Amino acid sequence: MSVTATAYPNIALIKYWGKRDDALHLPETSSLSLTLGVFATVTTVTVSDELAADSVTVAEVPAPPRFAARVTGFLDLVRDLAGDRRRAQVCTVNTGPTGAGLASSASGFAALAFAASGAYGLDLDRRALSRLARRGSGSASRSIYGGFAQWHRGEGSGAAGDLSSYAEPVEAPRLDPALVVALVDAREKAVDSREAMRRTVETSPFYRPWVQSSEQDLRDMHTALAAGDLAAVGEIAERNALGMHATMLGARPAVRYFSPGSMRVLDRVLALRAAGVAAYATMDAGPNVKVLCDRRDSAEVAAALAETDSAIRVLVATPGPGAAVSGLGESSADDHR
Ligand code: DP6
């Protein structure tokens, strides 16, 4: 059985940073994101009797061993759920840069959750798919849904935590947002986010205060989304992201994803605001900057960011769809070589 699924990255406006359970990927805080309509990941999973081991390709070349091991670990979870020990071939193609803080792991594991569960014959609802995607990468739990989504931290540990930690859509019908992505550097990040968040939780004196302030940010964000108040949404998102980066700067040793180019883009965002354009920045585990604005202002914001000599590419993303199965087939593993 062969199943192909497509998923899009999401950018958190209220960040996920820190786990209370490393094995189950249970987060310390709830988070809230916007799924984008760009940089899709398309993944095909083919289950076969004839394979002695899983095989994983990214853009038609064998995946790096660490990534392949992560995919095999994820397939083991699906195999346990399905009671099926057969191996699989996984072919994945990212249309965005990988590992550069542009949420390729979110789209990647959301697509893999859909494709693998389908290929192993599981019939999971969206909540179960969100919980499954979470086990691949926490932020992937949110890419199951289009538009805005909240990933609930869930309560408790073990099975109780696992059952209660999933994402759900959040309605914001009065907003027409865009995220302008300023690509400052498309290379893989120096410290991977998993290691960086563990170090932050374990060593940063600023981590617990951020957790507390993030809870308030989330409540304020819901009020702002319901009111359709883009300026308030942007202000809350920007302070939450900068606070997250402050926790990392406090880690020992410090984790710093900002580059001089990121700073120049952030300065430009401040200048836009001073000129009366509602534009607000957020950043993840990399130097790239994403700027939230109204869709009507997105061309002006993109032009301003492109003028900085720091952005190697600027593109406008609007809200995108949730993950979905895009193809089904009976095929042998050979078909994808
Ligand atoms: C900064 O979901 O990639 O993008 O669960 O360890 O795989 P793991 O981490 P991941 O972390 C994303 C962190 C972030 C913020 C966010 O997306 O909420």
Side-chain angles (χ1 to χ4, degrees), residues 7-12 16 25 31 33 35 41 70 74 103-114 126-146 149-151 165-168 194 197 321-323:
Y8 290 82
N10 69 75
I11 299 299
Y16 149 53
H25 294 182
S31 53
S33 60
T35 297
T41 299
R70 236 174 116 176
F74 186 84
S104 57
S105 68
S107 53
F109 281 99
L112 185 61
F114 265 76
R126 282 199 178 248
R127 180 176 294 187
L129 283 162
S130 175
R131 287 176 43 232
L132 178 60
R134 187 197 82 222
R135 301 290 299 275
S137 198
S139 53
S141 64
R142 300 182 306 236
S143 277
I144 299 303
Y145 298 100
Q150 176 170 337
W151 170 21
S165 188
Y166 52 83
E168 280 183 322
R194 193 161 286 183
M197 75 171 75

Side-chain angles (χ1 to χ4, degrees), residues 41-108:
T41 299
V42 182
T43 298
T44 301
V45 176
T46 306
V47 177
S48 166
D49 294 323
E50 284 145 39
L51 291 168
D54 294 325
S55 91
V56 184
T57 62
V58 179
E60 293 180 6
V61 296
R66 256 183 81 206
F67 181 68
R70 236 174 116 176
V71 170
T72 292
F74 186 84
L75 291 175
D76 285 339
L77 296 171
V78 177
R79 283 189 275 261
D80 285 348
L81 286 172
D84 184 342
R85 300 318 308 163
R86 286 179 298 161
R87 302 285 129 181
Q89 185 175 59
V90 177
C91 303
T92 188
V93 176
N94 276 318
T95 60
T98 303
L102 280 169
S104 57
S105 68
S107 53

